[in-house]
Amino acid sequence: MSLAVEIHNATKSYGDRTVLRGIDLTVEQGSVTVILGPSGSGKSTLLRAINHLEKLDEGYVRVGGDLIGVQVAGDRFRELPEKAIRKQRARIGFVFQAFNLFPHLTILENIVEAPISQGVKAGDARATARTLLARVGLSDKESAYPRQLSGGQQQRVAIARALALEPSVILFDEPTSALDPELVGEVLAVIRGLAGSGTTLIVVTHELGFAREVGDRVVFVDDGRIVEQGTPEEVLDRPQQRRTQEFLSSVL
Amino acid sequence: MTNVLRRSSTPPGVGAEPPTLPEGIDLARLSQRKVLPLRHPAQWVLTIVVLILVVNFGQTLFTNPEWGWSKVGTWLFNPAILAGIRLTIEATLISAVVSFVLGIVVALARLSRNPVLSTLSWLYVWVFRSLPLILVLIFLYNLGNLYPSIGIGIPFGPQFEVKTVAVLSDLTLGVVGLSLAEIAFASEIVRAGILAVDQGQIEASKALGISRRRQFTRIVLPQALRSIVPAYVNQIVGLLKGSSLLFYVSLLDLFGVVQNLGSTYPTDVIPLLVVASIWYLVFTSVISVIQYYIERHYARGSLRVLPPTPLQRVRRFVVGLGRSDTATTAPSDRKVTR
């Protein structure tokens, strides 16, 4: 199995607050990795470091073998110029907790914006966007504005928008946390549909049921460290670490 | 039920009166009827007093001959006045456009990570927001004395110079003066607008690998304009009125013309002031109408349903009158998304 994502010694602090304390993690191509952890544990920061929305103080991230956001300069890493980072990000999809759709653009315009910025012809971008909208079940909404949609529909559009760049990896940052309970299912169904399609998924979530059903690997993060990782059965049903046990019992 | 609650929540000794209903009230019958709104008798009294005052003043417009309405009529489209109007519009329009574009540039410089750019931009805003417009104008007017020629060049190297008087025609001078101050205000308005855009929007465009330029032109600026437009239009109205100061650097704008005519025809001062007022009111009204439509354009997506334009409202009202018998299918709840 080839590696989609490789993280080594990811270290990050804001001022004197350390968020990541040297995290090592590898993710296999085409797998679904679920990251669990209490709030403030650093799980979102870790996810955001993968597409360089957060800069690491030390350590590196590789996606598909490429170093993300940095290059080797002598015996150090040096940050890449903005333009190069942009190219790398285009291969990594990101879905936000708060959707972050562009409210002044229609659904279709939201999806074609990034491909057009990357040089895809407008006609081709629109055709792809329509296929993706059909895939997330929102073909009839292409000329609506985001605020005219429910939260679940908006998040499905956000997923389609991330897919438009044909990323090899998609990162989900608590994709259902801002949704009403009855809307969670439709978004999880779309994510479930992506699993096994060859795209690597990394999902930060609190949905244990989803982790158990769709996850190939579950990673439990606390206080900037990986406490425990393994298959869903290993981590969720037979957790070895005390911290994991406490967390799981508090969530259930 | 209410009685029980009321009694238990009243501290002992406060002596709140138990809520009693007058005898013989049939609550069940009242509950079937529509609740009446509160009456506002004082509001009606006040309205009548204000109306009387307004009518009194309105009356003097006709009875007081000093208003000189017939003279207002003759002056309103006088060629000299029209020439003044032309200058006022030219100066305001050019300054408004120049200031908006350069205001964006100054705002971006202020927000940039480059410390030299942001400091320079801060300094510029500090200076030109502090100086009274009239001082800037008169300063520029005397620039020829301060720097007889202006130019740029590499220090101790070749220089490029022109005569100051040759470059700064009167109108250019006026527009430059108005713009210098206006850019400072415009840049602050633009900066506030940019800062008001949700940070998540910038993160999303970053995550999607959208270029910096497109991030600004397609994502940030259109959303910022929603809050920029009302503030900037307000600023343009100020600019329009500020253009009357051009009179002090011998430019004959609307106010300048009226001022001159006033000293030539001292008996017509009041009618001339009325003429100027009418024209300024007209300009501001036109600006307000344009503003309405621009704001509506940038409200796309932020309201689920856009309110109808005044024209659409009139049309609907007329259509509504035509088919008042079939009121159930009134088109008033039809959705307008563009």
Side-chain angles (χ1 to χ4, degrees), chain A residues 48 51 53 82 86 89-90 92 94 96 100-106 109 113-114 116-118 145 147-149 161-162 165, chain B residues 113 198 200-201 203-212 214-215 218-220 222-223 298 300-305 337-338:
Chain A
R48 291 159 57 85
N51 76 343
L53 279 179
E82 183 84 28
R86 208 183 302 136
R89 281 189 183 132
I92 309 171
F94 200 102
F96 294 88
N100 293 349
L101 293 180
F102 306 128
H104 61 300
L105 301 180
T106 64
E109 288 168 339
E113 184 59 35
I116 289 177
S117 172
Q118 296 289 333
Y145 286 95
R147 285 207 185 114
Q148 295 166 330
L149 268 52
R161 182 173 72 169
L165 294 163
Chain B
R113 270 169 290 181
D198 178 18
Q201 294 290 308
E203 266 196 349
S205 17
K206 271 190 185 172
L208 286 165
I210 295 171
S211 67
R212 289 280 295 268
R214 250 182 114 87
Q215 259 179 49
R218 291 277 298 164
I219 309 299
V220 176
Q223 294 187 59
Y298 285 110
R300 263 180 326 168
S302 47
L303 304 171
R304 290 196 176 188
V305 178
T337 43
R338 278 262 170 191

Side-chain angles (χ1 to χ4, degrees), chain B residues 85-101:
Chain B
I85 287 172
R86 197 181 146 183
L87 188 104
T88 294
I89 292 177
E90 266 176 12
T92 306
L93 217 62
I94 299 174
S95 304
V97 173
V98 168
S99 309
F100 188 65
V101 174

